[in-house]
Amino acid sequence: MTTVSEKITAFAAPKGIPEYYEPGFTHVRDTLSTAADRAGYGYIELPIFEDTGLYARGVGESTDVVSKEMYTFADRGERSVTLRPEGTAGVVRAVIEHNLDRAGLPVKLRYAGPFFRYERPQAGRYRQLQQVGVEAIGVDDPALDAEVIAVADEGFKALGLTGYRLELTSLGDAECRPAYRALLQEFLAGLDLDPATRTRAEINPLRVLDDKRPDVRKQMEGAPLLLDHLSETSAAHHAAVLQHLDDLGVAYTVNPRMVRGLDYYTKTTFEFVHDGLGAQSGIGGGGRYDGLMETLGGQALSGVGFGIGVDRTLLACAAEGVQPWSTARAEVFGVPLGEAAKRRLVVIAAALRKAGVRVDLSYGGRGLKGAMKSADRSGARYALVLGERDLEAGTIGVKDLQSGDQREIALDAVVGELVAELAG
Ligand code: HAM
């Protein structure tokens, strides 16, 4: 039993899960989505959890995402399900399951929402992360790789961001990757590596290319690079992507040592990096995946896409001091003084809202001073002040909260006038 002296502990959100109650979040998410919408990517609402096997097979058992970071649990029917750690596998699953690839290619889809990775939380790295993503499936055309990259770039530009760069490379294809892998493994065998790195070199030798430790970096200086060992098809694809990006005026740096944390990439692979974010600098990434759809039981169709981190993009906006969104919760704020005034203002507010104006009111019978403070805090352009005497006179006070000017207008005319003024 709870006794009076026992203190009730307040709940807190789970560790590593950010919450957004400022308008920046939706603005960033919607701006990035709009860029994709403009390029013909239709929205898909994906399940938040899927069969665990989908990610194990799609993303790759040896990746950190699958082996260490998944939120996996048995549901009440003893099925193993996993909170989605990323969106690509789910999109490809949906394309196969609903035969979306039968209705003309490429299938172009976009998605937005939360993803879950059990990572060690730190600035810019969360356990519930938010992405806007696109996937274009079914056509292996370098112009489509360039489009995907350009859509991400457009999204960042539309927010006013400038302090980011695009790095890209090619991870080759089924023809050249195995031979290169063997070559790299041979090179790694000759190095002086600690046991953990040696194990990593055996499971996923490409990962060692990205090792940040100075001694490993030094040893890796002479490592063979996949870009120098591409098949003819992959080399031509890579060159064409760069050509399209040049045509589009999208700046990039080729980083032949780039490594991504997901196994499905082939050919074009890229990352958008922001220098104002510290260690978690990747604001978005993606690439082409030749084999994923077949691996998941579909046709052998290639796809290309990106996932942009909304959380980190928001941090990038803060780092650059750009705030392209309005913080105003209302355009008009009603201040009723007395019960009769309140009844009338409630109705005026409803009429304004019906006409498309964003309106809030002061509630709880607050006095003029406190209510005007709320009006200012709401970010509204106009305050409507209505007292008993105004009601008798059939007028209402309209205060311009920017200039401080106040005027009286006829109660009957207030809705029409405000709608016209706010539209102008
Ligand atoms: P990803 O690189 O794993 O790719 O994630 C994409 C973006 O999500 C990252 O660049 C980063 O901005 C953000 N992100 C990832 N993990 C976290 C985290 N723990 N906290 C905050 N933000 C995070 C994918 O997920 C692929 N599905 C992208 C893709 C689509 N490739 C092809 N199509």
Side-chain angles (χ1 to χ4, degrees):
M1 253 184 68
T2 312
T3 62
V4 190
S5 62
E6 260 180 61
K7 197 166 179 288
I8 296 170
T9 321
F11 288 107
K15 208 174 149 205
I17 300 199
E19 286 170 302
Y20 299 98
Y21 32 79
E22 303 279 346
F25 176 79
T26 45
H27 184 90
V28 167
R29 184 194 58 197
D30 296 348
T31 304
L32 298 170
S33 299
T34 298
D37 184 53
R38 288 200 182 137
Y41 291 79
Y43 186 75
I44 180 168
E45 179 68 29
L46 292 168
I48 300 285
F49 62 89
E50 300 254 14
D51 282 348
T52 301
L54 174 70
Y55 302 116
R57 194 150 6 127
V59 176
E61 304 260 20
S62 74
T63 61
D64 283 355
V65 169
V66 170
S67 65
K68 300 185 192 155
E69 297 169 2
M70 293 208 299
Y71 278 88
T72 298
F73 57 97
D75 72 6
R76 288 174 191 275
E78 294 306 317
R79 293 170 207 91
S80 178
V81 294
T82 294
L83 298 184
R84 59 186 192 184
E86 61 98 54
T88 312
V91 169
V92 172
R93 196 258 319 128
V95 168
I96 299 169
E97 185 170 347
H98 305 297
N99 296 318
L100 302 181
D101 50 334
R102 305 281 148 87
L105 298 174
V107 183
K108 292 170 75 170
L109 296 168
R110 67 185 161 90
Y111 50 90
F115 295 87
F116 304 86
R117 298 182 188 180
Y118 195 80
E119 298 199 75
R120 200 167 46 76
Q122 63 178 85
R125 186 164 72 193
Y126 308 119
R127 291 182 173 169
Q128 176 174 308
L129 57 122
Q130 299 274 348
Q131 283 186 11
V132 167
V134 306
E135 312 294 343
I137 295 167
V139 178
D140 190 1
D141 183 341
L144 208 45
D145 305 38
E147 175 183 281
V148 162
I149 291 171
V151 163
D153 188 56
E154 265 314 307
F156 294 134
K157 282 211 181 98
L159 290 167
L161 291 173
T162 53
Y164 64 91
R165 61 202 148 77
L166 163 65
E167 296 194 349
L168 86 168
T169 190
S170 170
L171 289 181
D173 53 38
E175 196 190 325
C176 54
R177 185 106 67 95
Y180 167 73
R181 202 185 134 102
L183 193 68
L184 182 62
Q185 261 167 340
E186 203 177 296
F187 173 84
L188 291 168
L191 301 185
D192 177 24
L193 299 171
D194 60 277
T197 313
R198 188 150 299 293
T199 311
R200 184 141 31 105
E202 270 149 38
I203 301 168
N204 192 344
L206 271 75
R207 284 273 191 90
V208 188
L209 286 170
D210 194 35
D211 202 306
K212 303 279 188 291
R213 290 168 299 178
D215 59 318
V216 181
R217 267 180 114 148
K218 185 138 201 347
Q219 294 195 68
M220 291 300 288
E221 271 169 17
L225 296 174
L226 181 47
L227 266 192
D228 301 324
H229 298 270
L230 291 179
S231 67
E232 226 172 275
T233 323
S234 281
H237 190 99
H238 183 59
V241 172
L242 301 190
Q243 183 66 66
H244 286 298
L245 291 176
D246 289 339
D247 294 346
L248 286 163
V250 174
Y252 57 82
T253 320
V254 175
N255 174 4
R257 289 168 186 265
M258 186 169 52
V259 173
R260 303 261 301 130
L262 312 162
D263 268 358
Y264 47 63
Y265 292 113
T266 54
K267 299 195 183 104
T268 311
T269 312
F270 59 89
E271 232 161 40
F272 285 89
V273 181
H274 198 285
D275 289 322
L277 297 190
Q280 304 305 314
S281 59
I283 53 173
R288 185 164 278 283
Y289 39 91
D290 281 348
L292 180 60
M293 187 147 162
E294 203 177 9
T295 303
L296 296 178
Q299 301 188 66
L301 293 177
S302 180
V304 59
F306 68 61
I308 297 178
V310 177
D311 313 87
R312 289 186 194 168
T313 307
L314 203 48
L315 291 173
C317 290
E320 288 195 33
V322 301
Q323 191 184 295
W325 54 85
S326 157
T327 52
R329 283 185 294 103
E331 296 165 285
V332 173
F333 195 93
V335 177
L337 303 168
E339 280 308 307
K342 190 198 304 189
R343 282 186 60 192
R344 187 63 188 266
L345 258 185
V346 163
V347 172
I348 290 172
L352 281 166
R353 288 171 185 155
K354 208 169 161 193
V357 178
R358 300 164 69 217
V359 188
D360 197 5
L361 291 182
S362 164
Y363 291 104
R366 301 182 72 191
L368 181 62
K369 210 168 148 209
M372 288 309 284
K373 213 179 254 175
S374 301
D376 280 329
R377 222 176 270 147
S378 76
R381 177 75 203 276
Y382 297 108
L384 294 180
V385 185
L386 189 63
E388 304 292 324
R389 234 178 288 151
D390 301 306
L391 262 184
E392 275 164 31
T395 60
I396 186 166
V398 179
K399 182 167 183 182
D400 184 324
L401 293 170
Q402 278 168 17
S403 65
D405 296 343
Q406 182 157 342
R407 64 204 155 99
E408 303 294 315
I409 62 176
L411 262 175
D412 296 344
V414 68
V415 171
E417 279 203 28
L418 282 178
V419 168
E421 263 173 54
L422 286 163

